[in-house]
Amino acid sequence: MAVPKRRQSKSRSKMRRGATRWRAPIFKSCSDCGSRIPSHIACPSCGSYRGRQVLEVEAL
């Protein structure tokens, strides 16, 4: 079984763990209605995705 030959330094461990920090989600605006939605998701308010209608949304 493979075992590390030398102990990893504190700075290298912290650099590796720095990649797992929390990041705020990135939202884009819908091209049809302008509401803020996550990427790669059909707009829940108007039902469009990439400029075409993919969901039927009932108006309240």
Side-chain angles (χ1 to χ4, degrees), residues 4-51:
K5 191 163 219 152
R6 300 205 191 293
R7 179 181 174 180
Q8 205 167 36
S9 69
K10 294 175 187 175
S11 65
R12 281 188 73 86
S13 298
K14 288 177 183 178
M15 278 192 275
R16 186 183 68 246
R17 290 191 186 108
T20 61
R21 70 181 183 274
W22 181 83
R23 291 184 180 93
I26 299 172
F27 293 102
K28 65 180 189 84
S29 58
C30 177
S31 58
D32 291 343
C33 65
S35 64
R36 307 288 288 163
I37 55 170
S39 298
H40 306 97
I41 302 275
C43 181
S45 59
C46 68
S48 66
Y49 180 72
R50 295 185 68 167

